[in-house]
Amino acid sequence: MGNVVVVGAQWGDEGKGKLVDWLSEQADTVVRFQGGHNAGHTLVIGENVYKLSLLPSGVVRPGKLGVIGNGVVLDPYALAAEIDRLAKQGVVINRDNLRVAENAALILSVHRELDGLRESGPVGTTIGTTKRGIGPAYEDKVGRRAIRLMDLAEPETLPSRVDRLLTHHNTLRRGAGLPEFEAAAIIKELLEIAPRVLPFMDVVWRLMDEERRAGKRILFEGAQGALLDVDHGTYPYVTSSNTVAGQAATGSGIGPGQVGYVLGIAKAYTTRVGEGPFPTELHDEIGERIGVRGHEFGTVTGRKRRCGWFDAVLVRQTVRTSGIHGIALTKLDILDGFDEIKICTGYRLDGKEIDYLPASQAQQARVEPIYETFKGWEGVTGGARTWKDLPAQAIKYVRRVEELIGAPVALVSTSPERDDTILVQNPFEA
């Protein structure tokens, strides 16, 4: 298919960093198509460890082009800070390896402050965001009052654009009893950062077409997970963008027919950060054990992740909403040594069995998981690189996952090391 889209098939934190890094070695261009700097991932290349939040993974590899698409909301100060951090590690970011869509909406101080204000509200009203201004920036984009990257190149237009933005935000601030933002301060904020980010500006939809026509391999790198999609996720406990594979086209300006192979990433168990429903969550010693063994803490926030058994209902749902061709199953090694392992195969809602997660928030809170119990395996899967390295019971577990989610397992990751991967099907060669 030529091009590959990587999406999280759960609630994010599925281990996309390792797989994206592995795939980016084969790609020419790596594109971020949604989200902001709220979704972090760690890349380990040789002796070097890189922590990225906004930059596409390809920028740390020589000869690769990283692209931030129009579907991303861009904090220009966060971008500059991330570029500076990488520079200290010897990675030079310039126009040769990074381009940013001219029509990407910007995250400003007004957005960060509003996000923090909302998240400090009464119990039951918060979403559990990273307080980085992502949601408010998307609101302004949809409300047609956003400041976009291209506006920084025309400073004479900024006063009218900022006035339009503050008409909305200062109304909110007056209602909250807060002092209003001054337009001059926002304009100063924009003008100061403009020289750092404008050199990367490009017409990304045209660039994508040029890359495609030149026969380049394009890797579309999704952030977060499909269950956090603003339409198809566990609303309202979702992110503010579309995280399903279809957004790869919309968020970069390439035609949907050029997207290619969709690789979903899923852990061999389930985790979630922040608020929201979690049918298979474990509040016992087993859940704690999974969290400790899996080092389940957020890359960006350091927040402890909630842990539970693999939920085949949810992954099957994301296989359908993202058109997933194959799954990369990660962290299988974390399940080593368990006497029993469970998989959620369905739900019980008000006494009836159902095979999907309802969209209703009230119904989501009432669903009860139906489990299938597996005998655990003896032996170690950690570091396995071929099927014969896996215990027979572990292979049985993987095969059952395939049956339940309706998609083949294309890769199995057995440790954080990039080479500890069982490759069944290379997405770029499918």
Side-chain angles (χ1 to χ4, degrees):
M1 296 184 180
N3 302 326
V4 174
V5 182
V6 175
V7 294
Q10 295 161 316
W11 278 296
D13 309 309
E14 301 94 349
K16 293 184 291 295
K18 169 184 169 178
L19 278 304
V20 166
D21 174 49
W22 181 78
L23 288 166
S24 68
E25 195 171 31
Q26 305 174 60
D28 300 297
T29 306
V30 184
V31 185
R32 276 285 311 273
F33 58 86
Q34 50 78 217
H37 62 305
N38 55 337
H41 52 267
T42 302
L43 304 180
V44 181
I45 303 176
E47 300 290 321
N48 298 310
V49 178
Y50 304 102
K51 293 186 180 294
L52 305 180
S53 296
L54 183 57
L55 289 169
S57 299
V59 299
V60 300
R61 291 192 172 278
K64 311 294 181 182
L65 177 62
V67 177
I68 297 176
N70 57 275
V72 173
V73 283
L74 178 79
D75 185 325
Y77 282 89
L79 176 62
E82 195 165 322
I83 289 172
D84 290 343
R85 286 197 302 271
L86 287 180
K88 293 178 181 178
Q89 293 183 267
V91 179
V92 177
I93 308 295
N94 54 38
R95 191 172 173 80
D96 292 335
N97 61 356
L98 178 66
R99 307 289 177 87
V100 182
E102 62 175 0
N103 51 341
L106 301 183
I107 299 173
L108 308 178
S109 55
V110 294
H111 302 122
R112 293 190 295 270
E113 189 164 332
L114 178 58
D115 206 359
L117 182 68
R118 288 171 172 170
E119 285 301 308
S120 61
V123 174
T125 65
T126 62
I127 300 296
T129 77
T130 57
K131 304 179 184 179
R132 300 197 170 199
I134 312 294
Y138 272 116
E139 290 176 32
D140 283 344
K141 176 181 177 178
V142 175
R144 294 165 291 187
R145 55 182 171 264
I147 307 296
R148 301 194 291 178
L149 181 60
M150 65 178 72
D151 296 328
L152 303 188
E154 299 177 317
E156 69 278 4
T157 70
L158 285 177
S160 62
R161 298 187 187 283
V162 170
D163 284 344
R164 182 175 60 187
L165 178 75
L166 292 185
T167 296
H168 171 76
H169 281 272
N170 281 337
T171 300
L172 296 178
R173 295 181 68 81
R174 285 194 297 271
L178 296 172
E180 296 184 10
F181 275 106
E182 295 291 336
I186 302 297
I187 293 171
K188 181 174 181 288
E189 174 186 334
L190 293 168
L191 293 178
E192 286 180 350
I193 197 63
R196 293 293 311 275
V197 294
L198 282 177
F200 303 106
M201 188 172 72
D202 205 345
V203 183
V204 162
W205 66 263
R206 185 177 61 190
L207 175 64
M208 289 292 93
D209 187 60
E210 291 170 352
E211 294 287 287
R212 179 186 66 82
R213 291 178 184 275
K216 301 292 182 65
R217 282 182 165 184
I218 303 172
L219 174 63
F220 297 92
E221 177 185 0
Q224 300 138 319
L227 294 173
L228 294 174
D229 186 276
V230 70
D231 288 305
H232 301 289
T234 48
Y235 191 92
Y237 299 101
V238 293
T239 193
S240 300
S241 61
N242 289 108
T243 57
V244 293
Q247 179 64 17
T250 306
S252 65
I254 200 168
Q258 306 301 325
V259 165
Y261 188 101
V262 179
L263 178 69
I265 316 294
K267 284 176 181 170
Y269 50 97
T270 310
T271 64
R272 172 161 207 173
V273 164
E275 306 298 325
F278 188 167
T280 66
E281 184 174 8
L282 296 169
H283 300 280
D284 56 13
E285 181 272 336
I286 293 177
E288 188 70 21
R289 182 180 173 189
I290 291 174
V292 170
R293 294 188 64 182
H295 304 290
E296 295 299 347
F297 298 90
T299 300
V300 171
T301 63
R303 290 184 295 178
K304 185 178 180 180
R305 297 176 186 137
R306 302 153 63 189
C307 298
W309 294 120
F310 184 84
D311 192 329
V313 181
L314 292 179
V315 177
R316 181 170 63 240
Q317 205 158 312
T318 60
V319 164
R320 296 174 181 176
T321 57
S322 273
I324 290 172
H325 296 96
I327 285 283
L329 193 66
T330 66
K331 292 198 168 185
L332 182 65
D333 54 304
I334 304 305
L335 298 181
D336 289 355
F338 280 89
D339 294 330
E340 287 186 344
I341 298 171
K342 295 183 179 181
I343 298 179
C344 175
T345 59
Y347 299 135
R348 189 170 287 105
L349 175 64
D350 302 333
K352 296 181 180 180
E353 291 189 13
I354 59 174
D355 62 356
Y356 68 99
L357 185 68
S360 162
Q361 183 181 354
Q363 290 181 2
Q364 288 174 359
R366 297 201 306 273
V367 297
E368 302 172 6
I370 299 171
Y371 287 118
E372 189 173 295
T373 302
F374 281 78
K375 178 183 176 182
W377 51 83
E378 297 179 0
V380 176
T381 64
R385 299 182 181 183
T386 66
W387 285 115
K388 65 181 179 62
D389 295 331
L390 294 179
Q393 192 66 16
I395 296 175
K396 182 178 178 182
Y397 178 79
V398 174
R399 294 306 186 202
R400 183 57 176 151
V401 165
E402 287 183 316
E403 292 174 359
L404 290 170
I405 66 175
V409 171
L411 303 98
V412 179
S413 174
T414 57
S415 93
E417 297 297 323
R418 70 192 307 274
D419 292 331
D420 291 342
T421 304
I422 300 171
L423 176 62
V424 181
Q425 182 182 61
N426 186 334
F428 273 118
E429 299 174 358

